[in-house]
Amino acid sequence: METMEAILTRRSIRRWQDKPVPEDLLNQILEAGRWSPSAGNYQPWAFIVVQKPETKHRIQVVAEESKNLSRVWSPQYRDGGRRGYIQELSTMPLGIAIFADQRKAPPHTDGEHGHIVSASMAAQNMWLAAHALGLGACLWSHMIADKMRAILGMPIHWDFVGLLGIGYTLDEGSPEGYDTTQEKLWQRKPLEDVTHYDWYGVAKDEDIPQDKLDILKKYLDL
């Protein structure tokens, strides 16, 4: 599968067949994460492979508690809401929990989140690799971080980035009550709506407004 094809056809898959992921495919996915870019080549990530049923059960408990917290703030997560379902993570064939080491945030100006950025790129690398290998995956990041650290034995200075659930897709891969085959869920904003040239709001071949440049020069000497 070509790189652009993998990017354009990747989907969030939340239901899998009761079929294990072969060890060689797991290793290829982990290698994709290991070869991700990172500031200063600090490689601030750790990947926890989740396979044991008891570990999956603990993760399921945390996932449900996390969803219940989200329900307090947003109706879409409540019963009957668009995302009111509870994801059954205890049945995922394979999980990879991704963490980022705070101690390896790059020592640059505003670099305190650099370890998160790097580990997030590793997560995307692994997701695309899983898709290219014929597997379905989904990343869950909104889970109580302290509890995810606790149940996976991670020290306090490791930030939880997300849990990548992986397996062979079941049917269309949607959880009960949530049809992810709807075309509107995969639409993207037009490229011209998200792309700017040299200044926010400036289209290709347009000039930066002179009054903005004057302010920049006057107050920041830039």
Side-chain angles (χ1 to χ4, degrees), residues 80-101:
R82 187 170 69 87
R83 291 179 177 265
Y85 64 89
I86 291 289
Q87 177 67 43
E88 188 54 60
L89 294 174
S90 60
T91 61
M92 67 179 174
L94 171 70
I96 301 176
I98 302 148
F99 290 85
D101 190 347

Side-chain angles (χ1 to χ4, degrees), residues 24 31 38 46-48 60 70 92 108 134 157 177-178 199 209-210:
D24 65 315
E31 277 290 281
S38 60
F47 312 135
I48 308 296
Q60 180 66 30
S70 296
M92 67 179 174
H108 298 297
H157 55 265
Y178 184 52
W199 194 272
Q210 187 59 49

Side-chain angles (χ1 to χ4, degrees), residues 211-222:
D211 62 322
K212 303 298 184 183
L213 293 176
D214 291 343
I215 292 172
L216 191 63
K217 180 65 176 178
K218 179 177 181 178
Y219 293 106
L220 296 178
D221 195 26
L222 293 172

Side-chain angles (χ1 to χ4, degrees), residues 36-70:
S36 300
S38 60
N41 197 29
Y42 286 175
Q43 304 170 60
W45 44 65
F47 312 135
I48 308 296
V49 177
V50 176
Q51 294 178 316
K52 294 183 181 298
E54 56 268 32
T55 306
K56 295 176 186 177
H57 172 73
R58 295 186 188 105
I59 289 175
Q60 180 66 30
V61 171
V62 174
E64 293 185 15
E65 183 179 356
S66 302
K67 175 59 76 71
N68 285 334
L69 281 172
S70 296

Side-chain angles (χ1 to χ4, degrees), residues 26-38 42-51 94-101 115-127 139 152 154 158-164 166:
L26 167 60
N27 288 335
Q28 290 183 63
I29 293 167
L30 292 170
E31 277 290 281
R34 186 171 76 95
W35 280 96
S36 300
S38 60
Y42 286 175
Q43 304 170 60
W45 44 65
F47 312 135
I48 308 296
V49 177
V50 176
Q51 294 178 316
L94 171 70
I96 301 176
I98 302 148
F99 290 85
D101 190 347
H115 62 303
I116 300 290
V117 173
S118 296
S120 297
M121 288 192 285
Q124 180 75 342
N125 263 22
M126 290 191 285
W127 195 343
L139 183 74
L152 294 173
M154 296 299 294
W158 286 87
D159 287 324
F160 173 66
V161 174
L163 172 74
L164 190 65
I166 304 169

Side-chain angles (χ1 to χ4, degrees), residues 7-26:
I7 292 171
L8 295 175
T9 60
R10 179 215 55 81
R11 298 289 183 266
S12 295
I13 300 299
R14 299 174 175 87
R15 290 181 68 200
W16 304 278
Q17 301 174 37
D18 184 14
K19 177 181 177 181
V21 175
E23 189 75 14
D24 65 315
L25 298 191
L26 167 60

